[in-house]
PDB file of all heavy atoms in Angstrom:
ATOM      1  N   HIS D 371      83.505  98.217  89.829  1.00  0.00           N
ATOM      2  CA  HIS D 371      83.828  97.012  89.079  1.00  0.00           C
ATOM      3  C   HIS D 371      84.237  97.346  87.654  1.00  0.00           C
ATOM      4  O   HIS D 371      85.225  96.821  87.139  1.00  0.00           O
ATOM      5  CB  HIS D 371      82.621  96.070  89.086  1.00  0.00           C
ATOM      6  CG  HIS D 371      82.878  94.759  88.410  1.00  0.00           C
ATOM      7  ND1 HIS D 371      82.383  94.459  87.175  1.00  0.00           N
ATOM      8  CD2 HIS D 371      83.607  93.697  88.789  1.00  0.00           C
ATOM      9  CE1 HIS D 371      82.785  93.252  86.823  1.00  0.00           C
ATOM     10  NE2 HIS D 371      83.524  92.760  87.788  1.00  0.00           N
ATOM     11  N   GLU D 372      83.498  98.255  87.044  1.00  0.00           N
ATOM     12  CA  GLU D 372      83.784  98.606  85.649  1.00  0.00           C
ATOM     13  C   GLU D 372      85.172  99.215  85.495  1.00  0.00           C
ATOM     14  O   GLU D 372      85.834  99.029  84.479  1.00  0.00           O
ATOM     15  CB  GLU D 372      82.732  99.587  85.125  1.00  0.00           C
ATOM     16  CG  GLU D 372      81.348  98.991  84.987  1.00  0.00           C
ATOM     17  CD  GLU D 372      81.327  97.772  84.080  1.00  0.00           C
ATOM     18  OE1 GLU D 372      81.901  97.853  82.985  1.00  0.00           O
ATOM     19  OE2 GLU D 372      80.764  96.746  84.489  1.00  0.00           O
ATOM     20  N   ALA D 373      85.621  99.944  86.526  1.00  0.00           N
ATOM     21  CA  ALA D 373      86.928 100.595  86.424  1.00  0.00           C
ATOM     22  C   ALA D 373      88.047  99.580  86.330  1.00  0.00           C
ATOM     23  O   ALA D 373      89.054  99.796  85.661  1.00  0.00           O
ATOM     24  CB  ALA D 373      87.156 101.500  87.626  1.00  0.00           C
ATOM     25  N   MET D 374      87.846  98.442  87.005  1.00  0.00           N
ATOM     26  CA  MET D 374      88.922  97.446  87.021  1.00  0.00           C
ATOM     27  C   MET D 374      89.038  96.710  85.686  1.00  0.00           C
ATOM     28  O   MET D 374      90.120  96.272  85.315  1.00  0.00           O
ATOM     29  CB  MET D 374      88.665  96.431  88.130  1.00  0.00           C
ATOM     30  CG  MET D 374      88.865  97.013  89.499  1.00  0.00           C
ATOM     31  SD  MET D 374      88.616  95.768  90.739  1.00  0.00           S
ATOM     32  CE  MET D 374      86.869  95.559  90.670  1.00  0.00           C
ATOM     33  N   ILE D 375      87.896  96.535  85.011  1.00  0.00           N
ATOM     34  CA  ILE D 375      87.946  95.729  83.791  1.00  0.00           C
ATOM     35  C   ILE D 375      87.952  96.610  82.547  1.00  0.00           C
ATOM     36  O   ILE D 375      87.747  96.143  81.436  1.00  0.00           O
ATOM     37  CB  ILE D 375      86.770  94.733  83.739  1.00  0.00           C
ATOM     38  CG1 ILE D 375      85.445  95.463  83.722  1.00  0.00           C
ATOM     39  CG2 ILE D 375      86.812  93.811  84.935  1.00  0.00           C
ATOM     40  CD1 ILE D 375      84.282  94.511  83.507  1.00  0.00           C
ATOM     41  N   LEU D 376      88.245  97.913  82.778  1.00  0.00           N
ATOM     42  CA  LEU D 376      88.197  98.891  81.696  1.00  0.00           C
ATOM     43  C   LEU D 376      89.140  98.534  80.552  1.00  0.00           C
ATOM     44  O   LEU D 376      88.820  98.720  79.391  1.00  0.00           O
ATOM     45  CB  LEU D 376      88.604 100.246  82.269  1.00  0.00           C
ATOM     46  CG  LEU D 376      87.984 101.494  81.712  1.00  0.00           C
ATOM     47  CD1 LEU D 376      86.485 101.359  81.662  1.00  0.00           C
ATOM     48  CD2 LEU D 376      88.361 102.662  82.589  1.00  0.00           C
ATOM     49  N   GLU D 377      90.306  97.991  80.875  1.00  0.00           N
ATOM     50  CA  GLU D 377      91.309  97.740  79.845  1.00  0.00           C
ATOM     51  C   GLU D 377      91.221  96.322  79.284  1.00  0.00           C
ATOM     52  O   GLU D 377      92.032  95.937  78.464  1.00  0.00           O
ATOM     53  CB  GLU D 377      92.710  97.973  80.402  1.00  0.00           C
ATOM     54  CG  GLU D 377      92.948  99.372  80.962  1.00  0.00           C
ATOM     55  CD  GLU D 377      92.796 100.439  79.907  1.00  0.00           C
ATOM     56  OE1 GLU D 377      93.037 100.146  78.724  1.00  0.00           O
ATOM     57  OE2 GLU D 377      92.403 101.561  80.262  1.00  0.00           O
ATOM     58  N   SER D 378      90.281  95.513  79.791  1.00  0.00           N
ATOM     59  CA  SER D 378      90.176  94.140  79.290  1.00  0.00           C
ATOM     60  C   SER D 378      89.326  94.136  78.036  1.00  0.00           C
ATOM     61  O   SER D 378      88.412  94.941  77.883  1.00  0.00           O
ATOM     62  CB  SER D 378      89.551  93.241  80.341  1.00  0.00           C
ATOM     63  OG  SER D 378      90.306  93.283  81.505  1.00  0.00           O
ATOM     64  N   SER D 379      89.641  93.185  77.153  1.00  0.00           N
ATOM     65  CA  SER D 379      88.868  93.121  75.922  1.00  0.00           C
ATOM     66  C   SER D 379      88.779  91.671  75.473  1.00  0.00           C
ATOM     67  O   SER D 379      89.425  90.791  76.057  1.00  0.00           O
ATOM     68  CB  SER D 379      89.542  93.966  74.840  1.00  0.00           C
ATOM     69  OG  SER D 379      90.868  93.528  74.701  1.00  0.00           O
ATOM     70  N   GLY D 380      87.993  91.416  74.445  1.00  0.00           N
ATOM     71  CA  GLY D 380      87.897  90.089  73.853  1.00  0.00           C
ATOM     72  C   GLY D 380      87.512  89.030  74.870  1.00  0.00           C
ATOM     73  O   GLY D 380      86.667  89.252  75.728  1.00  0.00           O
ATOM     74  N   ARG D 381      88.180  87.882  74.799  1.00  0.00           N
ATOM     75  CA  ARG D 381      87.788  86.784  75.690  1.00  0.00           C
ATOM     76  C   ARG D 381      88.067  87.102  77.149  1.00  0.00           C
ATOM     77  O   ARG D 381      87.350  86.622  78.030  1.00  0.00           O
ATOM     78  CB  ARG D 381      88.475  85.490  75.279  1.00  0.00           C
ATOM     79  CG  ARG D 381      89.966  85.581  75.186  1.00  0.00           C
ATOM     80  CD  ARG D 381      90.576  84.263  74.800  1.00  0.00           C
ATOM     81  NE  ARG D 381      92.009  84.389  74.677  1.00  0.00           N
ATOM     82  CZ  ARG D 381      92.624  84.849  73.597  1.00  0.00           C
ATOM     83  NH1 ARG D 381      91.927  85.200  72.540  1.00  0.00           N
ATOM     84  NH2 ARG D 381      93.938  84.961  73.563  1.00  0.00           N
ATOM     85  N   ASP D 382      89.097  87.922  77.432  1.00  0.00           N
ATOM     86  CA  ASP D 382      89.333  88.312  78.822  1.00  0.00           C
ATOM     87  C   ASP D 382      88.091  88.968  79.396  1.00  0.00           C
ATOM     88  O   ASP D 382      87.626  88.628  80.489  1.00  0.00           O
ATOM     89  CB  ASP D 382      90.499  89.315  78.902  1.00  0.00           C
ATOM     90  CG  ASP D 382      91.836  88.653  78.649  1.00  0.00           C
ATOM     91  OD1 ASP D 382      91.845  87.400  78.583  1.00  0.00           O
ATOM     92  OD2 ASP D 382      92.833  89.371  78.515  1.00  0.00           O
ATOM     93  N   LEU D 383      87.570  89.921  78.632  1.00  0.00           N
ATOM     94  CA  LEU D 383      86.387  90.631  79.104  1.00  0.00           C
ATOM     95  C   LEU D 383      85.203  89.674  79.201  1.00  0.00           C
ATOM     96  O   LEU D 383      84.403  89.753  80.138  1.00  0.00           O
ATOM     97  CB  LEU D 383      86.072  91.787  78.153  1.00  0.00           C
ATOM     98  CG  LEU D 383      84.937  92.704  78.579  1.00  0.00           C
ATOM     99  CD1 LEU D 383      85.219  93.292  79.944  1.00  0.00           C
ATOM    100  CD2 LEU D 383      84.732  93.833  77.571  1.00  0.00           C
ATOM    101  N   ALA D 384      85.099  88.739  78.235  1.00  0.00           N
ATOM    102  CA  ALA D 384      83.995  87.785  78.274  1.00  0.00           C
ATOM    103  C   ALA D 384      84.018  86.993  79.576  1.00  0.00           C
ATOM    104  O   ALA D 384      82.990  86.836  80.249  1.00  0.00           O
ATOM    105  CB  ALA D 384      84.093  86.827  77.079  1.00  0.00           C
ATOM    106  N   TRP D 385      85.203  86.513  79.966  1.00  0.00           N
ATOM    107  CA  TRP D 385      85.290  85.720  81.206  1.00  0.00           C
ATOM    108  C   TRP D 385      84.981  86.576  82.422  1.00  0.00           C
ATOM    109  O   TRP D 385      84.314  86.138  83.355  1.00  0.00           O
ATOM    110  CB  TRP D 385      86.673  85.091  81.349  1.00  0.00           C
ATOM    111  CG  TRP D 385      87.033  84.077  80.314  1.00  0.00           C
ATOM    112  CD1 TRP D 385      88.219  83.984  79.659  1.00  0.00           C
ATOM    113  CD2 TRP D 385      86.204  83.020  79.812  1.00  0.00           C
ATOM    114  NE1 TRP D 385      88.181  82.944  78.769  1.00  0.00           N
ATOM    115  CE2 TRP D 385      86.959  82.340  78.845  1.00  0.00           C
ATOM    116  CE3 TRP D 385      84.902  82.598  80.055  1.00  0.00           C
ATOM    117  CZ2 TRP D 385      86.476  81.253  78.125  1.00  0.00           C
ATOM    118  CZ3 TRP D 385      84.412  81.521  79.339  1.00  0.00           C
ATOM    119  CH2 TRP D 385      85.188  80.856  78.401  1.00  0.00           C
ATOM    120  N   LEU D 386      85.494  87.811  82.401  1.00  0.00           N
ATOM    121  CA  LEU D 386      85.251  88.672  83.561  1.00  0.00           C
ATOM    122  C   LEU D 386      83.768  88.955  83.713  1.00  0.00           C
ATOM    123  O   LEU D 386      83.214  88.922  84.817  1.00  0.00           O
ATOM    124  CB  LEU D 386      86.034  89.977  83.419  1.00  0.00           C
ATOM    125  CG  LEU D 386      87.547  89.844  83.562  1.00  0.00           C
ATOM    126  CD1 LEU D 386      88.242  91.139  83.197  1.00  0.00           C
ATOM    127  CD2 LEU D 386      87.883  89.459  84.994  1.00  0.00           C
ATOM    128  N   GLU D 387      83.106  89.219  82.584  1.00  0.00           N
ATOM    129  CA  GLU D 387      81.664  89.508  82.642  1.00  0.00           C
ATOM    130  C   GLU D 387      80.893  88.278  83.071  1.00  0.00           C
ATOM    131  O   GLU D 387      80.091  88.324  84.006  1.00  0.00           O
ATOM    132  CB  GLU D 387      81.171  89.969  81.251  1.00  0.00           C
ATOM    133  CG  GLU D 387      81.723  91.314  80.809  1.00  0.00           C
ATOM    134  CD  GLU D 387      81.012  92.468  81.481  1.00  0.00           C
ATOM    135  OE1 GLU D 387      80.654  92.360  82.652  1.00  0.00           O
ATOM    136  OE2 GLU D 387      80.837  93.520  80.817  1.00  0.00           O
ATOM    137  N   LEU D 388      81.142  87.159  82.378  1.00  0.00           N
ATOM    138  CA  LEU D 388      80.399  85.952  82.707  1.00  0.00           C
ATOM    139  C   LEU D 388      80.669  85.530  84.144  1.00  0.00           C
ATOM    140  O   LEU D 388      79.761  85.116  84.874  1.00  0.00           O
ATOM    141  CB  LEU D 388      80.792  84.831  81.733  1.00  0.00           C
ATOM    142  CG  LEU D 388      79.995  83.535  81.895  1.00  0.00           C
ATOM    143  CD1 LEU D 388      78.501  83.785  81.737  1.00  0.00           C
ATOM    144  CD2 LEU D 388      80.441  82.486  80.881  1.00  0.00           C
ATOM    145  N   GLY D 389      81.921  85.688  84.578  1.00  0.00           N
ATOM    146  CA  GLY D 389      82.267  85.337  85.956  1.00  0.00           C
ATOM    147  C   GLY D 389      81.460  86.142  86.950  1.00  0.00           C
ATOM    148  O   GLY D 389      80.934  85.601  87.919  1.00  0.00           O
ATOM    149  N   SER D 390      81.343  87.452  86.700  1.00  0.00           N
ATOM    150  CA  SER D 390      80.616  88.268  87.675  1.00  0.00           C
ATOM    151  C   SER D 390      79.112  87.992  87.594  1.00  0.00           C
ATOM    152  O   SER D 390      78.427  88.007  88.613  1.00  0.00           O
ATOM    153  CB  SER D 390      80.929  89.751  87.473  1.00  0.00           C
ATOM    154  OG  SER D 390      80.254  90.225  86.340  1.00  0.00           O
TER     155      SER D 390
END
Side-chain angles (χ1 to χ4, degrees):
Chain D
H371 184 255
E372 292 303 312
M374 289 182 288
I375 62 173
L376 213 50
E377 302 298 332
S378 302
S379 55
R381 55 179 178 277
D382 288 351
L383 185 57
W385 295 136
L386 289 171
E387 293 282 37
L388 185 57
S390 75

